[in-house]
Amino acid sequence: LAWEIMQQDQSDDFIICTGEVHSLHELLEEAFAYVGLRPEDYVEFDPRFARPGNTSILIGDTSKLKLTIGKVPSVKFKELIKIMMDAALKKVDSE
């Protein structure tokens, strides 16, 4: 998709996202589970930094991307976490 975005006649901003709603807790659960760990053994929650409960749900909108390029990202949440974890583990192995 990035290459196709760069081929447009005019530069523009596009949102590339899964279009799914997930919490930070879900991200931590998925990432830690990928390496056989439990987030609660490594991560502490500090309520001082929590968002107020009245915020709206944040979700990426790929409609402009679909309208302009005719495609939307195909990588979903769990696959994205796997890609990110594999890259992080590869970096750790090389250091």
Side-chain angles (χ1 to χ4, degrees), residues 1-47:
L1 284 176
W3 183 87
E4 291 163 317
I5 289 171
M6 291 186 296
Q7 302 313 303
Q8 300 303 300
D9 292 334
Q10 289 189 324
S11 62
D12 205 347
D13 295 323
F14 292 90
I15 296 172
I16 301 175
C17 62
T18 64
E20 301 173 41
V21 175
H22 293 280
S23 66
L24 181 57
H25 178 76
E26 289 175 279
L27 184 145
L28 289 172
E29 288 287 333
E30 195 67 33
F32 275 80
Y34 189 73
V35 291
L37 299 172
R38 296 170 2 122
E40 54 272 9
D41 294 337
Y42 300 90
V43 179
E44 290 184 24
F45 172 72
D46 188 334

Side-chain angles (χ1 to χ4, degrees), residues 26-87:
E26 289 175 279
L27 184 145
L28 289 172
E29 288 287 333
E30 195 67 33
F32 275 80
Y34 189 73
V35 291
L37 299 172
R38 296 170 2 122
E40 54 272 9
D41 294 337
Y42 300 90
V43 179
E44 290 184 24
F45 172 72
D46 188 334
R48 294 177 301 161
F49 301 109
R51 289 184 181 199
N54 60 352
T55 60
S56 61
I57 294 175
L58 302 174
I59 183 168
D61 179 1
T62 59
S63 59
K64 179 178 173 183
L65 188 61
K66 185 173 184 176
L67 180 66
T68 306
I69 299 185
K71 293 182 181 178
V72 294
S74 59
V75 175
K76 296 299 179 191
F77 178 74
K78 288 186 177 191
E79 185 181 355
L80 180 60
I81 299 301
K82 179 186 179 306
I83 291 167
M84 292 167 57
M85 291 301 294
D86 285 343

